[in-house]
C-alpha cells in the first residue's frame, strides 16, 4: 500500500499564494548527513537516526513551496558546495560571481525567497524593504554587519552565518604574516622582483621568545594562541569578558597592558561601536617601539592615518592589513585614493603587508562555509528550524515522520507582546497539538507547533486565522 504524498504550503506575505509539493523523497543533498560535522549548531539532520530508531519511520521532508518555485539568489561567488546543496534540493538558483549595485540588487531581490551573500553585499533596510517574498538570508562568511539584522528580524527574515568555519584559515594567515613582518620578507621579495639584491639582517628577528598580544580571544584568537605557542611565542590576550586560556596563554586586564607588553599585536574583534578606531594614535603610542600591528578583523578597528604616522616615525616597525574601512565590490585596480583617501600613502610604506580581505579565502574554509550555511538554509526553508540564526530565537522540533501524513507544522513569527500565545492556542484549539515550542529575542518571538489530523480543507482557514492576529509578523504553514 502506497503512503500518501506529503504536501506543503507556504503562503507568501503579499497574499495567500499556496503551492503544493508532489515529492515523496527525503533530502536529495548528498551532503545532508555526511557533512554534518561542519555545522556549528546542533543539526536537525542529526535527528534522522534518532527518529528512525524511536519511531521506525523516516523523517518526512517538509517544503514550504513547490520545489520548482523556490527562488534563491547567490552573490559573490558562493562556494560550489553550497550551490550544490541548494540545487540538489530542486531550488531555482541564480548564481553571480560578484556583488550587485544596489539598484540592480533591489530589482533582483523582489522575487526571491532566499539570498546568499558574503561580505561585500549590503542588505540595508532600503534593500530589504523591497524583498516581499524573502524569508531567510545566508551570510557565507563570519560577519553579519553587512545586514540590517534588526530590520530583518522585525520583518520575519532569519539570518544565518558561519561563525567559525574559516577560523583556522585566518589563524594560519596571521602566523605567516608574523614571520613575514619579523623577517621583512615583503620588502626583500619586492626588491628582488625589481632586480635588487639586498641581503640584510638588521631589524630582522626570530619570533621564538617574542610576545604575541591577541585582542579578542574568540574562535580565531584562541586557535592563533595555540599555533603561536607551538612556534615558541609567549601569548597574552585581552577580551571584554573573562575567558579560559589555552596552553600557557595569559589574559591581561586592560588593552593598555597588552599594548605595553606585546611585540606583535593582532586584532580579532567584531565591528561594533565600541571597536571603531579601537587602535588609534593613543593606542599606537602605548605599543612598544619597533613592534608590529596586524588587523584581519574589521576595517573600522584600526585608524589607518594614525598607523601611517606611527610607521613613518619608526614607532611601528611593520604592519599587516587584510581589511579596510571601504573595500571594492569586485576585483580590479580599485585600491586608490578614490576608495580611501590615504590608500596611496599606505601603499608607499616599507614592511607593510596589504591583502584584499583574504583571511578566510582558502578552499577548505570556503567549502566548509558553503556546507554549513547552505544546510542551515535548507533546514529553515524545509522545516522552520532556527538553530544558529543570529537574529531570531533558536527554536527546533523533532522532524515529522512519514507515519504522520496528516500533520501540519505551523510557524508563527510575532511581536513579543502579552496575550499572543493565548490567541494562537485559540486558533489551534480545534486540533491536537503534538509538539509546541516558543522563544523570544528582544521584540520578536518565534513559535513552532506540530498539529495532527489536519484536513487539507482546514489549512487555508488555519493560515488565515493566524494571519489575522494583530501581533503577526510572518506565518508559515508546512505540510
Amino acid at each position: 500500500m502506497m503512503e500518501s504524498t506529503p504536501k506543503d504550503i507556504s503562503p507568501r506575505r503579499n497574499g495567500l499564494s499556496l503551492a503544493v509539493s508532489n515529492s515523496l523523497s527525503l533530502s536529495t543533498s548528498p551532503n545532508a548527513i555526511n557533512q554534518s560535522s561542519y555545522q556549528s549548531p546542533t543539526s536537525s539532520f542529526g535527528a534522522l537516526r534518532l527518529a528512525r530508531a524511536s519511531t521506525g519511520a523516516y523523517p518526512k521532508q517538509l517544503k514550504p513551496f513547490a520545489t520548482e518555485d523556490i527562488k534563491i539568489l547567490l552573490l559573490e561567488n558562493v562556494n560550489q558546495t553550497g550551490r550544490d546543496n541548494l540545487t540538489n534540493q530542486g531550488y531555482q538558483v541564480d548564481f553571480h560571481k560578484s556583488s550587485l549595485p544596489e539598484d540592480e540588487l533591489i530589482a533582483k531581490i523582489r522575487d526571491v525567497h532566499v539570498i546568499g551573500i558574503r561580505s561585500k553585499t549590503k542588505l540595508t533596510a532600503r534593500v530589504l524593504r523591497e524583498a516581499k517574498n524573502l524569508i531567510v538570508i545566508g551570510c557565507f562568511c563570519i560577519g553579519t554587519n553587512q545586514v540590517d539584522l534588526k530590520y530583518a528580524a522585525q520583518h520575519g527574515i532569519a539570518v544565518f552565518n558561519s561563525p567559525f568555519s574559516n577560523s583556522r584559515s585566518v589563524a594560519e594567515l596571521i602566523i605567516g604574516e608574523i614571520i613575514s613582518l619579523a623577517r621583512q620578507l615583503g620588502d626583500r621579495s619586492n626588491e628582488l622582483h625589481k632586480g635588487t639584491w639586498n641581503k640584510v639582517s638588521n631589524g630582522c628577528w626570530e619570533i621564538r621568545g617574542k610576545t604575541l598580544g591577541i585582542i579578542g580571544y574568540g574562535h580565531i584568537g584562541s586557535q592563533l594562541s595555540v599555533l603561536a605557542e607551538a612556534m615558541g611565542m609567549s601569548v597574552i590576550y585581552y577580551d571584554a569578558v573573562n575567558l579560559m586560556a589555552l596552553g600557557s596563554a595569559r589574559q591581561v586586564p586592560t588593552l593598555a597592558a597588552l599594548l605595553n607588553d606585546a611585540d606583535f599585536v593582532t586584532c580579532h574583534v567584531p565591528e561594533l561601536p565600541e571597536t571603531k578606531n579601537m587602535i588609534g594614535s593613543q593606542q599606537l603610542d602605548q605599543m612598544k617601539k619597533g613592534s608590529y600591528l596586524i588587523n584581519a578583523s574589521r576595517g573600522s578597528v584600526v585608524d589607518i592615518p594614525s598607523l601611517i604616522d606611527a610607521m613613518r616615525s619608526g614607532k611601528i616597525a611593520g604592519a599587516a592589513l587584510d581589511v579596510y574601512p571601504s573595500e571594492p565590490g569586485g576585483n580590479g585596480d580599485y585600491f586608490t585614493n578614490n576608495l580611501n583617501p590615504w590608500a596611496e600613502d599606505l601603499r608607499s610604506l616599507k614592511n607593510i603587508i596589504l591583502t584584499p580581505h583574504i583571511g578566510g579565502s582558502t578552499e577548505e574554509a570556503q567549502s566548509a562555509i558553503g556546507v554549513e550555511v547552505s544546510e542551515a538554509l535548507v533546514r529553515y526553508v524545509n522545516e522552520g528550524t532556527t538553530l544558529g540564526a543570529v537574529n531570531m530565537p533558536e527554536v527546533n522540533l523533532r522532524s515529522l515522520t512519514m507515519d504522520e501524513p496528516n500533520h501540519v507544522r505551523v510557524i508563527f513569527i510575532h511581536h513579543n507582546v502579552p496575550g499572543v500565545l493565548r490567541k494562537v492556542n485559540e486558533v489551534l484549539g480545534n486540533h491536537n497539538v503534538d509538539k509546541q515550542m516558543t522563544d523570544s529575542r528582544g521584540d520578536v518571538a518565534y513559535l513552532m507547533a506540530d498539529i495532527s489530523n489536519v484536513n487539507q480543507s482546514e489549512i487555508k482557514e488555519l493560515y488565515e486565522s493566524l494571519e489575522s492576529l494583530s501581533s503577526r509578523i510572518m506565518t508559515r504553514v508546512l505540510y
Side-chain angles (χ1 to χ4, degrees), residues 402-447:
M402 298 299 288
D403 287 345
E404 300 169 307
N406 295 320
H407 284 54
V408 168
R409 174 161 292 180
V410 172
I411 297 162
F412 188 67
I413 307 172
H414 60 90
H415 298 291
N416 187 21
V417 294
V420 176
L421 289 181
R422 176 177 54 81
K423 293 180 179 179
V424 170
N425 286 324
E426 286 175 358
V427 173
L428 303 181
N430 293 328
H431 305 277
N432 183 46
V433 179
D434 288 354
K435 304 185 292 292
Q436 186 179 50
M437 182 176 178
T438 185
D439 198 359
S440 62
R441 184 170 183 168
D443 297 330
V444 176
Y446 193 97
L447 180 146

Side-chain angles (χ1 to χ4, degrees), residues 113-171:
H113 310 108
V114 180
I115 185 170
I117 62 172
R118 293 175 69 188
S119 57
K120 298 291 189 297
T121 301
K122 307 301 181 186
L123 295 180
T124 62
R126 176 175 180 260
V127 173
L128 294 176
R129 195 174 296 118
E130 302 295 325
K132 302 302 183 184
N133 294 325
L134 193 67
I135 61 172
V136 62
I137 297 166
C139 296
F140 288 77
C141 52
I142 291 180
T144 56
N145 56 295
Q146 68 275 39
V147 179
D148 189 328
L149 297 177
K150 183 176 181 180
Y151 184 94
Q154 290 174 342
H155 291 78
I157 303 168
V159 180
F160 294 88
N161 69 334
S162 180
F164 32 72
S165 287
N166 68 358
S167 301
R168 177 71 182 201
S169 296
V170 178

Side-chain angles (χ1 to χ4, degrees), residues 150-436:
K150 183 176 181 180
Y151 184 94
Q154 290 174 342
H155 291 78
I157 303 168
V159 180
F160 294 88
N161 69 334
S162 180
F164 32 72
S165 287
N166 68 358
S167 301
R168 177 71 182 201
S169 296
V170 178
E172 288 186 4
L173 177 67
I174 303 305
I175 290 293
E177 289 176 336
I178 291 171
I179 296 172
S180 296
L181 291 173
R183 299 295 297 273
Q184 301 177 15
L185 293 183
D187 289 353
R188 298 295 85 79
S189 177
N190 289 335
E191 290 162 357
L192 204 52
H193 274 282
K194 296 175 182 177
T196 302
W197 186 276
N198 185 22
K199 183 179 179 179
V200 297
S201 60
N202 184 43
C204 297
W205 313 94
E206 293 181 355
I207 67 169
R208 178 182 56 175
K210 304 303 186 294
T211 298
L212 173 63
I214 301 173
I215 304 174
Y217 203 66
H219 301 300
I220 295 171
S222 57
Q223 281 207 44
L224 175 60
S225 171
V226 174
L227 296 177
E229 282 200 346
M231 301 292 292
M233 302 187 79
S234 299
V235 176
I236 57 176
Y237 63 93
Y238 169 72
D239 202 288
V241 297
N242 291 326
L243 296 168
M244 184 181 73
L246 299 181
S248 301
R250 176 173 56 88
Q251 186 166 9
V252 295
T254 64
L255 177 59
L258 181 142
L259 299 174
N260 289 335
D261 291 344
D263 300 300
F264 295 84
V265 174
T266 179
C267 303
H268 301 284
V269 296
E271 184 175 61
L272 300 170
E274 53 266 37
T275 62
K276 184 174 182 180
N277 293 332
M278 188 178 195
I279 304 297
S281 58
Q282 179 182 351
Q283 289 73 31
L284 291 165
D285 287 342
Q286 293 171 343
M287 292 175 65
K288 287 182 176 181
K289 181 175 175 59
S291 57
Y292 305 85
L293 177 66
I294 299 171
N295 182 27
S297 58
R298 288 291 177 260
S300 60
V301 172
V302 174
D303 180 49
I304 294 182
S306 296
L307 174 62
I308 292 172
D309 292 340
M311 290 189 67
R312 284 176 172 170
S313 71
K315 173 71 173 183
I316 303 300
L321 301 177
D322 189 47
V323 289
Y324 311 90
S326 296
E327 298 181 357
N331 294 340
D333 298 329
Y334 304 121
F335 198 71
T336 65
N337 282 5
N338 292 329
L339 183 69
N340 293 294
W342 35 255
E344 292 170 23
D345 287 337
L346 186 69
R347 287 161 45 193
S348 70
L349 297 173
K350 294 290 187 180
N351 203 26
I352 187 163
I353 300 170
L354 304 176
T355 50
H357 204 149
I358 59 169
S361 296
T362 63
E363 294 287 355
E364 294 90 346
Q366 292 307 308
S367 177
I369 289 170
V371 171
E372 181 176 11
V373 177
S374 65
E375 290 190 347
L377 294 176
V378 169
R379 289 194 302 273
Y380 185 77
V381 170
N382 292 0
E383 300 185 20
T385 298
T386 58
L387 291 179
V390 299
N391 69 331
M392 288 277 185
E394 292 191 289
V395 177
N396 186 34
L397 289 179
R398 174 183 62 79
S399 299
L400 292 174
T401 71
M402 298 299 288
D403 287 345
E404 300 169 307
N406 295 320
H407 284 54
V408 168
R409 174 161 292 180
V410 172
I411 297 162
F412 188 67
I413 307 172
H414 60 90
H415 298 291
N416 187 21
V417 294
V420 176
L421 289 181
R422 176 177 54 81
K423 293 180 179 179
V424 170
N425 286 324
E426 286 175 358
V427 173
L428 303 181
N430 293 328
H431 305 277
N432 183 46
V433 179
D434 288 354
K435 304 185 292 292
Q436 186 179 50

